[in-house]
Every structure is written in C-alpha cells, then in structure tokens.
Amino acid sequence: MSEAMWALRRICSERDGRLGLAFTTIILVFALVGPLVSPDPNVLDIKARFAAPGIAHLFGTDNLGRDLFARTSAGTRYALTLAVTIVVISSIIGSLIGIVAGIAGGWVDRAVTAVFDIVNAFPPLILAFALIALYGKGSATFVLLVTVVFIPQFGRMARARARTLRNLSFIEAERMLAVHPATIVVRHYLPNVAGPIIVLASMNLPVVIAFEASLSFLGFGVQPPKSSLGTLIKDGFVSINQSWWPTVTAALVLAVATLGATLLGEALRRVIDPKSAGTR
Amino acid sequence: MAISLRNLSVDYNLPIGAAHALRDVSLDIQKGEMLGLVGESGSGKSTVAFALMGLLAANARVTSGTATIEGRQFDLTRPNATASLRGRGMAMIFQDPMLSLNPVFTIGAQLIEVLRRRSPGSDRKTRAAQAEDALAKVKLSNPKQRMQQYPHELSGGMRQRVVIAMALLSEPALLIADEPTTALDVTVEAQIMREIIGLRDRIGCAVLLITHSLGLVTEHCDRISVLYAGERLESGTVRDVQRQPGHPYTRMLFDCEVPIDRARDPDAAQNRFTVIAGELPDPRRRPPGCIFNGRCDVSFEDCAKVVPGDYAVAGSASHGARCLRLATP
Amino acid sequence: MTRTQRTAAFIATRLGSMALTIVGATLLLFLMVRLVPGDFASVMLGPRATPELRAQIVHDMGLDRSFVEQLWLFVSRAATGNFGEDVVSHRPILDLVLEVIPNTLALAFSALALALLVGIPIGVIAALKPGSWLDSGLALLSISFITTPTLVVSVVLFLIFAIGLHWLPVAGAGNPGDIVDRLQHLVLPSVALALGWIGYISRLVRAALLDTLAELHVRTLRAYGVSEYRIVGLFALKLALVPVVSILGIGLGDLIGSSVVVEIIFARTGIGSLIFNSIAQRNYPVVQACVVFIVAFYILANLVVDMVNALLDPRVAAGRG
C-alpha cells in the first residue's frame, strides 16, 4: 500500500502525470456518476430527439430522444470494463506463456515464438476482423478474440525477461539445489516479470480502448442492446446530418479517456521502470 | 609562437552543489614541445582540454581563464571563445576511439567534412585526395579502401589513427591528446604515440598530452605538469622533475611506479607496493591551506593554514612546485 | 565476403523468413476456417442456406475433399494467385482484390509520406532547443496527436469539412483519371490516418536526436569545427532515423488496419471496405484472400524497412548493431 502511495506521489510530481491522473479521474467519475445524476439512458422520448445540451439533458439527446449524458456514461463504463478485462486476461495469459517459453527454451520456445510471429504478421485490426468474421459477434467472443490479438505482446516481454533471469546465477543456484521449478517460478520469475508487464499493460490500456471503439464503430464489437463509446459514435455518425451532438460527445469522451490513460501509463512507466524511459 | 593558459578555473553545477573542478590552472607549451599533464582520475585534466576547446558539458562554467594561442588572446569565460580555432588552429584526439567516429558515415566522408572546414574553397575531389593522403601518412594500410569503409570495420588502434589523420589535416598550432592510448593495448599504444610524435614533427605544433600514465610522460614528453584535485602542483622539464621532484605528491607518484627491473621477493606477500593513502578532497569545499595536506607524508603545521605559492625548485627558473617546504630558505 | 555479397545474403535470409511467415499465416487462416464451430457452409450462407446451395458451396470450396487435399489445393492455387471465384459476384476473387488495392495503397503511402514530411522536421526543431517553451508546446501537441484514436480524428475532420467548412471533399475517391480530383479526395483521409503518426514520429525523432547528440562522435565533429546545423541535420539525423525506420514497418501495418475505419468514414473503396462488406455478407473466401494480401504486404513492408535500415546503418547489414 505504501508503495502505491509513493508511486502516486511520484506521478503527481510531474506535469504529464498530473494531467493523466486528472483526465483519468474525470473519466472514471463520469462513468460512475452517470446513473446517479441523469435520467435513465434507455427512456425514449421521440419528441425531444436531437436536443442540444441543456438543463434537462446535459449532453443533449440522441436520435431516439435518449439522454446522451446517461448513454455516454454507460457507454464509457462498458468500454472501460471491456478494455480492463481484455488487458488483464491477455497480460496474465501472455506472461505465463512467455515465462514458460523463456524457461523451457528449445523447441517449445521456438514454437511459441513462431506462433507469436505469425499472429503479429497480421495488422491487429485485420486479425480481429478475420476472427470475428468466422466466430461471430457478441461480447464474450469479442473479448476472447481481442485478447488473442494482444497476447503476443505480453508473451514477448515476459519471455525476454524470463530468458535474462534464467541465466542469472542465483537461479542456477536454486536449480542446483533442486528447488521445485514451480517454487522458482513463483518466487523469482513472477515478481521480476510483473513490473514490466504492469507497465506494458498500463500502456496498452488506451490502445485496447481505442481498438474496441474502432471495432464497435464498424459494428464488429459490442452489439446492441449493449453500447460502448464506439457504438455511440457509430449511431451518431449515421444521423450526423441531423445533429452532431451524439457523435461529438462520445468522440470527445473517447479522446479524453485515451489521452488520460496514455499520460498516466507513461507516468507509471517512468515511476516503475525508469531505465526503459529513455529521453523524453 | 607559444601556447599559454592562465588562471583557468572551472566549476560544475551539480545537484549536490557546485564542484570546483579546476582552480587557477596555468600552463605554457612551446612550439614543437610536448607537455604531459599528469593526474589521477578526478584531478580535472580532461576538463582543461575541454575548456580550451570550448566543449565543456552544459553544466560547466568557466569562472576565469585566458588562453593565448598563436599570439591571439581568448577569454575562456565566454562560451565558444575558441570556436574559430576548431579544425584550424586546434585539434584534439580523444580517449575512446571506439566511440569517436560516426558509425553511419564512411571514414572518407568524415575526413572530408573536416577539410570542408579547413579549406572551404576546395572541391570534393581535392579534399578526397588530401584525406587519402592523410590516411597514408598515419600509416593506415590500404588508404583508398579505408576511405570507403565504416568505423566498425576498423580496430580501435586504426580508428585512433583516423582521428590523428583528422588532426593532421587541420594543421593545428595546438594538438590536445586526451588520454589517447588509455583504451588501447600496450603494443598499439606505442604505435599511436609514434604517430602523435610524427604529427608533431611534421607540423611543428605544440602538444598537450593528458594522461595518468607517468611512463608515457617520462618516455615521450619534454615537460610535465602535475595536476591534483584541480590545482597544478608542479611543472618543469621531465628530466628535472624526475631527478628531483619538488612536490611530495610528484615524488609519491614516481614511487608508485614499479620499475620492471625491481627485485622481486619470491615470497609474494613480501613485495610491497607504494600507495598514496587517502582520497581526493570534496570538490565543493576546498580545505584551507595546501590541497595535498592530509595525504602528504612530510606536511607540517603551516600546511593546513597557508596556501603555497609557486616556488622554484633547486633554483631553476623552469621548474616550480607549490610546496611550503620549498619556501623556507 | 564483399559488401554486395553480404547484402545479398541479408536480403535472401529476410525473404526466406518472410516466405515462411506468409505460409504460416495462410495456414493459420486455413485452419481457422476448418475450426469454425458448426458447419462452415451453413455459417457462410446464413439464413439463405438451402441444401442445394449448401452442396454447391461445399463443392466449390472443396470442403468435401480430404483435409490434405484441401490444404494442397489452397496453397498451390494461392501461390499462382488463384483465390477461387467469389460465390456472390461470380468473378475471380483475385480481380476483386486487385481492383481495390490501388486505392488503399495510395491512401497508406500518402499518409506515410505526410507523417514523415511533417513529423521529422517537428522532431528536429524540438531537438534543437530541448526544454524550451517551443519544445514543451510541441510535446503536448504530439502527445495529443498520438493518443487521439484515428476514429476520433476521422469523425472530427469529417464533421468540420462535411458540416462546417466545405473546402475539401469528404466522400469517395474522386473521378478516376482526374489526378487533381483524386488528390483532393486523398487529403482528408490521409491527414486523418497520418496525424497519430506525425505525433509519434516527431517524438521518436526528437528522442533519438537528443540521444545521438549526446554521443561522443558528435563531440569529435564539433571539435573539428563542423557547423551545428550540419551536425544536427545531417550527421546526427542519419543515425536518429534508424529507430524511426524500424517503426515504419509496424506503422504500415497499423496504417492498413486503421485505413478500414478511414475508408468507411470517408466512403472510399479500398481493401478495408472490401473486407468490411465481405464480413457483413459472411463472404469468408474474400475475407481470406484480402487478409492474405494484407499480411503479404505487411511482411513485404517490413522487409523493405529492414533493407532501408541496412542502408542507413551499415552495422545492421554486417549482422551487428
């Protein structure tokens, strides 16, 4: 806990960290506060459709008269939940695979690396397309498929760290002493791999947020009745000639969310792993 | 024409405070003469070189100092005071030849770039020919081929020859060699020193050889200046200083050198090495009195109170040391 | 080995691994199809599935043959460019793809060119005066460029130019044959794609330049009087461009992926919209062919990048650095 406080203080000590923290907090508050402050996002009020922002509707209304503030807030909530889930799952699975490959070496390592290379040969969005085309839409499938797209990154990082660690003398010593491999992994590999993986995860979060938004915008991500920021932009875009508020509000929230997450991620990286920072 | 440096003082602004890297350092070098500037790590010898060239780090400040080169005076407190001399009146050879050349440009390209500065009027063909010629003069094999090669294709010694070739092309009045052989093998060291001396003989420039190796100085230099913790403690001809060191520090330095013909006791534990006990003083706060006080083996009471001036050693006008023991008649 | 021999060996090795990766990727796609839960033909046809249509599809796609036969058919045909016939339009799939590729390539390359032409100078300017107000301002600008998703940039640009100012066209690719018109239609989509990369490249160039300028060989040039402009703009820049070039490979892949979004918003035909429509139609063979093309292009782009890298930094071609 005290480490978290220390990290927080360090992040606040620089401009980018403060900005990132501020933006992220605003977005989080926005996402959580929605249902308390504004009307039900699902209530239709056709007479009030495409209203501009006002007292009754802080962000205006969409094509069906639904309150945009509430809808955007819900969309943000869902988008963030999805993104965090994807990052957590892919980082955990990726790290485990990477560590195993790094420790095992030999053909296991080569095979894993080859698979990673092949997955990386596809531009991420395209790979997601192909997978979704085959296996269908829907949130659960979506999370699974996008996770697959992002696993190689974490796997590579974990593997690299594992390989460096493997050659360190104290690991060799423990092997000599016939300490159980699982113990070595838990005691030494995991803590050492955790740092860079956390950094990578925090830096990937905005990428996944934007990725999900793009996919949902194209109709391949979140399906109705659920909505995320991407679907909101899509809905707004379709009727953009009648009102640009739906599109603009969702796009703006998305921009602030990704900017905040990126700045925070960068600040976190500088705090946890300053050696990888290089020059700013 | 002589080279003279007067009252050079340089501070480094560090987060922990200002470090006085050099205090009132003066030296003189005659044309065709090689002066060895000797000191241990941290004595500030490289700082002298960079201050002269105007290449100090961003956090360095020259608080005083004037240099006279070829009759012109330069106020070293102004940044880039000697910039006009770079590539023409002054040349420098650096400590780490492996890193001194740009890895993505050919040797030829970099030499030609130096000539661009030296003779702006000439055309590329002439410069290429001159560059190739310089490579031949520093005894690099296959100069024509070398021109097209990249630094990573050359060994450390060869790269140092390339830099010497650069110096040759600049035809400087002052050549500064900052530990030119520290990073090289002993055999290569001899060759490189020969090249530097060859350069001096060819051009007739003054050479400032900065080194921690007394051996190099006694073998190749005409005069020697001893630097300790940013202050010049002694200077004189190599013969004079070696025969009769005026300053205890100089004496102890010479004592530290182990001559190759010294008798060795078969019982390894019996072989004694002379060391100078203690450490360099904190560069942020100069202790009162003599800077060497505390590590000196012949110091007395006044050494902690009075800052020694420059006293003649054995009545010689060209040999001086800053030790109070020389003050008393 | 002479330098030419070494470069040739280098290219040969890279081409070899490239071929292997393409084969692997194609294999992956092939496997994916066979692993679809349920019956592939029915999935593809969706609600239109009648037993006759289904049988037709199965036969056309060779799904009734053995696995090995299918694999062999696919690979041998793909190698000669035969991706089969589109069941919807009854035209060779290869034609469908080749028809739309030029558009996407034009978009991707112009975005890349824009990113380099604007990004590199910004990076150089920032590196000339690090820590200044100019540098901080440019940094903030670059970061916002980088983090704003292409989706948002495209939507905002569309809004500004479609609804607000009407300076530039927002839909379509322009009249074929009319270069000026086509260029006009290229502007907004290229800018939308390039913005993020402008930010990224400028940060990269700045960081790489500052790192390079701290290296000792720069001190050597300074010591010999070379002008600061030549040092930064020529000698340091060449070295600093090495990491930039490495990024370009990933960049091209990312550009092609993001181009889908841009193509949809700006209503351009291209491989992105082809994939998009094919997915909607569940026309998987077309999707497969598109993906193979994209992967091949991506890998080829990486190969070109590696070669340019070898040109820029001779240590790479020698096997080191």
Side-chain angles (χ1 to χ4, degrees), chain C residues 88-103:
Chain C
V88 173
S89 62
H90 297 291
R91 296 174 57 204
I93 295 185
L94 185 67
D95 288 357
L96 284 177
V97 176
L98 288 178
E99 217 168 46
V100 292
I101 270 199
N103 256 350

Side-chain angles (χ1 to χ4, degrees), chain B residues 192-255:
Chain B
I192 295 298
M193 285 312 298
R194 257 205 303 274
E195 287 313 316
I196 294 179
I197 293 173
L199 180 70
R200 178 202 56 185
D201 293 339
R202 214 189 284 273
I203 298 185
C205 52
V207 181
L208 175 62
L209 177 69
I210 297 174
T211 177
H212 59 258
S213 162
L214 270 181
L216 267 185
V217 173
T218 49
E219 187 165 340
H220 300 294
C221 295
D222 305 303
R223 291 176 57 85
I224 173 174
S225 250
V226 179
L227 209 64
Y228 176 78
E231 299 188 10
R232 181 188 60 81
L233 293 185
E234 181 161 1
S235 58
T237 65
V238 168
R239 269 182 79 209
D240 286 347
V241 175
Q242 199 173 13
R243 242 188 295 148
Q244 195 181 0
H247 199 285
Y249 178 59
T250 318
R251 177 185 30 90
M252 290 163 102
L253 273 183
F254 276 106
D255 284 345

Side-chain angles (χ1 to χ4, degrees), chain B residues 161-206:
Chain B
R161 286 181 203 264
V162 172
V163 182
I164 297 177
M166 279 186 184
L168 188 64
L169 289 170
S170 334
E171 295 179 19
L174 169 64
L175 173 69
I176 304 177
D178 183 12
E179 307 223 35
T181 55
T182 308
L184 302 170
D185 296 334
V186 176
T187 42
V188 181
E189 177 176 82
Q191 295 168 1
I192 295 298
M193 285 312 298
R194 257 205 303 274
E195 287 313 316
I196 294 179
I197 293 173
L199 180 70
R200 178 202 56 185
D201 293 339
R202 214 189 284 273
I203 298 185
C205 52

